[in-house]
Amino acid sequence: MIEVLRAGALTTVQDQGRPGWAHLGVPRSGALDPAALRLANRLVGNPEHAAGLEITLTGCALRVTRAVTVALTGAEVNVGIERRPADAPSGPGRTVERPRVEHRPGDIGRPLSLPAGATLRIGPARAGVRTWLAVSGGIAVEPVLGSRSTDTLSGLGPPPLRDGDRLPLGVPAGPPAPVDLTVAPATPAVLRLVLRPGPRQDWFTPAALDRLLTTAYAISPASNRVGARLTGATLPRAVAGELASEGLVLGAVQVPPDGQPLIFLADHPTTGGYPVIGVVEDVTPLAQARPGTTVTFHGPQR
């Protein structure tokens, strides 16, 4: 098992999500950067669909009750491995009374071996927002509709981690990957997102479409796994009436009455009543976007 000593601001169990249930009102959910979690799983010898942890901003502390291999991908964090006194080396006449702590800041993107009883301390993100942790065998909580992902909107799956929680581990499927280090791309200072026309583009004035594609927006502190809220130029509507709720997809850019766009992420609702002006082609970069990050939109390249 994994024992949660410090859960941090928001740590959730995530895998590749539960697609195919939108007709029943169930979002896809899953890791905000699916490729990062797949990489972490490959590094420890897991199948790519195995469940791991998504750790948000402040880090966490975990104790393992058996020897495991772990790997972290995503945001830059310091990694500390604290071993029990019995695991620390000792010599004649030498008594080790305190745990030995190894601080290993360069261990993002590589397999790490932990002995039984070791504590893994993951520090706050120095850049970016989220880190993904894979453990050999995977997190073996009970699946719901074929996925172990925590859905923060609907409440499906296990709840966000709390101090004192215990998470079961599965049986390791294979050996760790024979790599020394993998290099993740740096988080850009400005996110340039490809925007395709939405189903309700005609509900907005030509000036609104021009503003969306020519002005910069900033990520709002009110953003979460449901959506990235933006602040900037308001988008005026050409149609003032009410819109009946209709289906939403990942990356949909919805515009509430205040005119400030909202980009839906993994835990988005499956229906919504505000008009969708466009759809972002790839929302993955938003997983590491801190509040204040600049966002610009442009159309698909011809």
Side-chain angles (χ1 to χ4, degrees):
M1 283 199 169
I2 290 177
E3 299 174 346
V4 180
L5 304 182
R6 182 176 67 84
L10 178 65
T11 300
T12 58
V13 177
Q14 298 294 340
D15 53 21
Q16 297 300 306
R18 47 180 68 87
W21 297 98
H23 64 296
L24 297 180
V26 177
R28 179 189 184 101
S29 194
L32 286 185
D33 186 342
L37 180 56
R38 287 197 296 267
L39 173 59
N41 274 319
R42 291 198 301 270
L43 289 171
V44 301
N46 286 345
E48 291 187 343
H49 62 267
L53 297 180
E54 182 176 280
I55 304 157
T56 306
L57 201 61
T58 60
C60 64
L62 311 165
R63 180 185 294 123
V64 296
T65 60
R66 78 173 191 211
V68 296
T69 301
V70 301
L72 294 119
T73 57
E76 298 177 14
V77 296
N78 286 341
V79 180
I81 300 173
E82 182 179 295
R83 302 170 186 267
R84 296 181 306 176
D87 296 318
S90 60
R94 180 184 175 192
T95 302
V96 180
E97 297 181 352
R98 293 185 177 181
R100 180 164 59 94
V101 181
E102 302 171 8
H103 293 286
R104 307 173 68 165
D107 281 335
I108 294 293
R110 64 182 297 183
L112 301 172
S113 296
L114 304 183
T119 297
L120 180 68
R121 299 192 182 276
I122 301 167
R126 299 193 303 272
V129 178
R130 295 174 176 89
T131 305
W132 290 271
L133 171 71
V135 184
S136 52
I139 307 297
V141 295
E142 284 297 318
V144 178
L145 296 178
S147 171
R148 295 180 167 90
S149 287
T150 299
D151 184 337
T152 60
L153 181 65
S154 71
L156 290 176
L161 268 57
R162 298 171 297 179
D163 296 357
D165 282 352
R166 294 168 65 88
L167 300 174
L169 295 175
V171 178
V179 299
D180 292 326
L181 184 67
T182 59
V183 179
T187 303
V190 177
L191 299 184
R192 298 184 71 249
L193 303 178
V194 176
L195 185 74
R196 296 187 178 275
R200 298 298 176 182
Q201 198 176 77
D202 58 336
W203 278 52
F204 297 88
T205 66
L209 300 176
D210 182 67
R211 289 180 189 178
L212 189 61
L213 295 173
T214 59
T215 62
Y217 288 83
I219 298 289
S220 164
S223 302
N224 52 31
R225 280 184 49 87
V226 175
R229 295 185 179 273
L230 305 181
T231 58
T234 59
L235 303 177
R237 283 171 50 171
V239 179
E242 294 295 325
L243 178 66
S245 291
E246 56 188 5
L248 292 173
V249 298
L250 180 69
V253 181
Q254 192 184 70
V255 184
D258 64 2
Q260 300 291 294
L262 161 68
I263 307 172
F264 280 119
L265 303 179
D267 289 353
H268 70 84
T270 55
T271 62
Y274 298 133
V276 172
I277 193 171
V279 178
V280 172
E281 194 170 80
D282 180 15
V283 299
T284 302
L286 292 164
Q288 300 294 14
R290 292 193 173 198
T293 299
T294 299
V295 174
T296 63
F297 298 98
H298 64 92
Q301 298 298 324
R302 298 293 182 182

